[in-house]
Amino acid sequence: MCGIFVAIDSEKSSQFLISEFMKIKHRGPDASDFKMIKEKTHFGFHRLAINGLTPKGNQPMYKNGVWLVANAEIFNYLELANTYNIKLETGSDCEILIDLYQEIGEEGMLEAIDGEFAFVLYDEAKDLFVAARDHLGVRGMYIGYDESEVYFASESKAIAFSKQLHQFPPGHYWNSYTDEMKPYFHHDYSTTALSEKDYCLEINKLLTESVEKRMMSERPLGCLLSGGLDSSLVAGILARKLKEKGKQLETFSIGLEGSPDIEAAQKVADHIGSKHHSIICTEQEFLAELEHTVYMLGSYDVTTVRASVGHQLVAKYVRDHSEVKVLFSGETADEFGSYLYFQNAPNAESFQEESVRLLKDIQFFDMKRGDRSISNAGLEARVPFADKAFVNFFMSIPPELRMFSDQKIEKYLIRKAFEDEDLIPADVLWRRKNGFSDSVSSKKKSWSEVIKEHVETLVSEDEFSNEKFRFTPEPSSKEAFYYLKTFEKSYGSHFQLTPYQWLPKWCGEVKDPSARVLEIYQAD
């Protein structure tokens, strides 16, 4: 994924800053560089080379008086270079950011680019810093303040020494003149009025285009495949396109013994003709990763931690057993209003409001899980459902057409859009949603139950009763307490990095995020 690190007007020693910078070395295994670009100001970069594989594409990048560190894939960089008659020299798609900034300014640049990005640039002539992050926060970035010092990093662990520390908000940009966050992407979705057929045609077109443009890579591609609808559609489109080029897609699934995901993923792999890897782990192998998972994430959210254990293990397997460097996945589709609890939405307006809230907050949960789990193995994540054009269109579909019930399956329009293509098996196309954090385990004993039993051996009743009051709000379970305590070891009091615990709405007094505890749970 690459790792960026920036220290502006820092009074701290280079030795200290480099030691913090190295905490995110896993993000860029191919090259690392740390430069003082002016007095007391440093740019650091860990590179995972995906495009422009020569050293010319290394960062920090310098061109025409502008410094740049960018964890980015700019899918339309060649088109933009042609439009603005820009001569590219490095082979890296990130280079276009410098030229666009100088041609049309930061606002024009952010309007023009189609990609996933987190970057900081420094304009020597203006003595100006500019930072920006993509619309949903596919790429991680944090901003920290320590008195007059300002810091940026791809992961919070690298700047946890800051007195103030926050996620850099997705869809925003910042400059050092104003020190203000300004939005360039807005979750304002004008409702469209099309026929069901036309909605389905456009969904098919936009998702297909989203997958295909993300194939931009000089390194091998692969796909995480849970056997659920979202990852299966992405894998199916990707496999079809690679087959046209005479190549075979590699797919990867993970689970405990008896996992329904393993079985469903194999069925999809057989259908699409991928080279498939089924990774079956023991409960002990999963449990051994719990503490590291909290550190890796920089989060103590219960459902995010649960889901990230398997996610990071499958990414490590990819790193160790294949040549794949770019991993596609199915995140974001659920935030459109497809979690099972949306079935209880009281009305269309509430349905839409909740979906918008989830998209705004995805940076704290599923998007963080995807970024950290995959980058932890030195790989790059690609998330087609997060494509800006797809998000804008799908969220413009009237919410009453996206709502579901016992009689109407969730994601009906997405399923219908691919019904006639034989892209994936029909029973998978119409398979009800499973939650990843539970469907990696058997129906008899869920992953959440395995964790709870394990935490009972780590946290005594006395410790939980006497120590839970240290945290605000109080953790509601020993599992939540254990994650908080583990987080505190590495991140101190920066509890604001997880603003709240993810829980379903409209389901009564539910205190556990597992879909299996809900009365409406019907998945296989």
Side-chain angles (χ1 to χ4, degrees), residues 11 53 81 135 185 262 302 310 325 362 368 437 442 473 494 497:
E11 297 292 338
L53 303 184
H135 62 296
F185 179 82
I262 293 289
V302 170
K325 296 297 180 185
I362 194 173
K368 175 181 278 191
S437 62
S442 72
H494 288 305
L497 296 178

Side-chain angles (χ1 to χ4, degrees), residues 84-377:
Y84 292 97
N85 196 28
I86 292 169
K87 182 180 179 182
L88 298 175
E89 303 168 355
T90 66
S92 169
D93 53 285
C94 294
E95 180 187 352
I96 195 75
L97 296 172
I98 294 176
D99 295 284
L100 283 176
Y101 162 75
Q102 294 188 311
E103 286 282 337
I104 57 178
E106 59 261 41
E107 292 183 2
M109 168 181 61
L110 292 167
E111 184 67 29
I113 57 179
D114 180 12
E116 301 163 351
F117 56 85
F119 69 81
V120 181
L121 61 80
Y122 173 62
D123 185 332
E124 289 180 329
K126 296 180 179 179
D127 190 23
L128 172 71
F129 294 88
V130 175
R133 192 178 182 198
D134 63 62
H135 62 296
L136 291 185
V138 177
R139 302 301 170 98
M141 187 157 74
Y142 291 78
I143 183 169
Y145 293 92
D146 200 342
E147 306 301 339
S148 61
E149 304 167 9
V150 184
Y151 298 92
F152 296 91
S154 296
E155 298 184 18
S156 56
K157 58 178 64 69
I159 54 174
F161 58 82
S162 302
K163 290 182 179 177
Q164 299 179 52
L165 179 59
H166 299 280
Q167 278 216 50
F168 192 100
H172 285 69
Y173 70 99
W174 169 96
N175 74 55
S176 55
Y177 283 3
T178 65
D179 192 28
E180 294 178 354
M181 294 287 176
K182 294 185 178 180
Y184 69 87
F185 179 82
H186 302 273
H187 292 274
D188 297 329
Y189 304 104
S190 300
T191 302
T192 52
L194 303 176
S195 67
E196 179 180 292
K197 179 181 179 181
D198 286 339
Y199 279 127
C200 290
L201 287 172
E202 192 67 9
I203 288 168
N204 186 301
K205 171 179 171 289
L206 288 174
L207 186 59
T208 300
E209 289 175 352
S210 178
V211 172
E212 291 180 354
K213 71 174 126 175
R214 282 165 174 75
M215 294 175 70
M216 182 184 81
S217 173
E218 295 177 45
R219 308 291 290 274
L221 308 174
C223 190
L224 297 180
L225 180 59
S226 70
L229 175 71
D230 310 329
S231 64
S232 297
L233 284 177
V234 170
I237 296 168
L238 191 55
R240 181 175 61 190
K241 193 65 178 178
L242 285 174
K243 197 175 296 182
E244 291 173 6
K245 299 181 178 183
K247 298 179 180 180
Q248 184 183 27
L249 175 67
E250 278 195 78
T251 52
F252 305 86
S253 63
I254 193 166
L256 300 171
E257 193 71 47
S259 160
D261 274 2
I262 293 289
E263 182 180 345
Q266 186 64 60
K267 182 180 294 186
V268 175
D270 292 341
H271 189 93
I272 67 176
S274 65
K275 179 183 177 183
H276 188 60
H277 305 255
S278 292
I279 307 138
I280 300 176
C281 297
T282 64
E283 291 179 5
Q284 288 68 34
E285 287 172 319
F286 264 47
L287 291 171
E289 293 295 321
L290 265 186
E291 184 171 349
H292 172 71
T293 298
V294 175
Y295 172 73
M296 174 202 75
L297 283 172
S299 172
Y300 52 89
D301 175 63
V302 170
T303 192
T304 305
V305 174
R306 289 176 181 174
S308 296
V309 173
H311 206 157
Q312 65 152 328
L313 283 173
V314 69
K316 287 178 182 177
Y317 178 93
V318 175
R319 176 196 65 194
D320 295 339
H321 296 88
S322 80
E323 298 299 316
V324 166
K325 296 297 180 185
V326 176
L327 267 179
F328 284 67
S329 65
E331 276 86 17
T332 310
D334 290 329
E335 277 66 25
F336 297 140
S338 303
Y339 287 110
L340 292 182
Y341 74 85
F342 273 86
Q343 182 174 318
N344 291 342
N347 51 54
E349 183 181 3
S350 298
F351 184 99
Q352 182 76 348
E353 287 176 355
E354 176 67 356
S355 185
V356 169
R357 184 187 73 83
L358 290 183
L359 286 172
K360 288 180 176 179
D361 287 358
I362 194 173
Q363 56 173 318
F364 300 115
F365 305 108
D366 275 12
M367 208 63 85
K368 175 181 278 191
R369 168 170 58 85
D371 175 87
R372 302 303 183 278
S373 298
I374 292 174
S375 67
N376 186 60

